[in-house]
């Protein structure tokens, strides 16, 4: 897809949706964009996309068994996105049993107004930015993850932070 920055090639606008067993790869910008409540993404691969692998804003979200790899191939400004996944204004998001690896930016970025989110049983490795970036949000419960080898980019990190898990503002 010749989609523009921060606009997903696959767009889910309604609630109670399921995206399952899909491969979304080599898009011009973001792979998937979700704007609906009670959404599940299961066993999908989002890789080699020009901007983010995945963007979302909603309530009650589950991602399980997915691979988000090698996104931001076009080198978008990492200060505004560009990497594995960016979530905004989420409540009760659960990300589990998934891999966020080798993205050219942050692995998982919770940006503004997220509440009571869970990241569990995930591999978050080799991302050039922070592995998990929890910014201007409340109630992250990250447990039983392997978060290793993140934050080694030559460029200055996310708003001054790099590494495994960053809590900001």
């Amino acid at each position: 897809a010749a989609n523009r920055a921060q606009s997903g090639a696959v767009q889910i606008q309604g609630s109670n949706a399921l995206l399952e067993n899909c491969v979304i790869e080599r898009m011009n910008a973001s792979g998937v964009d979700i704007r609906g409540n009670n959404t599940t993404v299961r066993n999908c691969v989002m890789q080699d996309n020009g901007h983010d692998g995945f963007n979302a804003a909603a309530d009650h979200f589950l991602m399980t068994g997915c691979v988000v790899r090698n996104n931001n191939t076009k080198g978008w400004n990492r200060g505004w996105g560009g990497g594995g996944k960016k979530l905004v204004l989420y409540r009760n998001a659960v990300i589990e049993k998934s891999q966020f690896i080798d993205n050219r930016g942050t692995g998982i970025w919770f940006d503004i107004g997220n509440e009571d989110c869970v990241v569990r049983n995930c591999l978050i490795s080799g991302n050039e930015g922070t592995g998990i970036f929890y910014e201007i949000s409340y109630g992250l419960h990250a447990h039983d993850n392997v978060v290793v080898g993140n934050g080694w980019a030559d460029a200055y990190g996310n708003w001054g932070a790099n590494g495994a898990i960053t809590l900001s503002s």
Side-chain angles (χ1 to χ4, degrees):
N3 51 325
R4 61 182 167 76
Q6 296 182 320
S7 176
V10 174
Q11 296 191 12
I12 298 173
Q13 302 287 327
S15 296
N16 303 308
L18 170 64
L19 181 65
E20 185 173 35
N21 300 322
C22 295
V23 176
I24 299 101
E25 64 184 358
R26 292 188 289 264
M27 301 302 154
N28 182 60
S30 297
V32 178
D33 188 41
I34 291 181
R35 305 282 179 220
N37 297 331
N38 302 311
T39 301
T40 298
V41 177
R42 182 181 301 128
N43 301 326
C44 292
V45 176
M46 291 151 266
Q47 66 185 6
D48 303 321
N49 295 298
H51 192 244
D52 290 316
F54 189 95
N55 292 308
D59 289 342
H60 302 284
F61 170 76
L62 171 63
M63 172 181 254
T64 186
C66 294
V67 175
V68 182
R69 171 180 46 225
N70 194 42
N71 294 290
N72 197 17
T73 60
K74 296 204 171 185
W76 291 91
N77 182 337
R78 295 177 195 159
W80 299 104
K85 176 183 185 80
K86 190 168 185 179
L87 293 99
V88 177
L89 301 171
Y90 253 102
R91 288 181 190 87
N92 303 307
V94 175
I95 300 169
E96 65 178 16
K97 303 175 190 165
S98 296
Q99 300 176 27
F100 297 84
I101 49 179
D102 299 328
N103 292 290
R104 296 176 185 151
T106 300
I108 306 170
W109 187 344
F110 294 90
D111 183 12
I112 199 163
N114 297 286
E115 296 179 25
D116 300 321
C117 296
V118 176
V119 179
R120 62 182 176 220
N121 303 310
C122 292
L123 172 63
I124 304 161
S125 177
N127 299 290
E128 292 182 359
T130 302
I132 300 173
F133 189 38
Y134 207 69
E135 178 186 21
I136 318 169
S137 297
Y138 312 94
L140 172 65
H141 188 192
H143 63 92
D144 300 306
N145 300 293
V146 175
V147 187
V148 62
N150 298 288
W152 294 103
D154 292 335
Y156 194 58
N158 292 12
W159 304 102
N162 270 340
I165 300 174
T166 300
L167 305 177
S168 176
S169 305

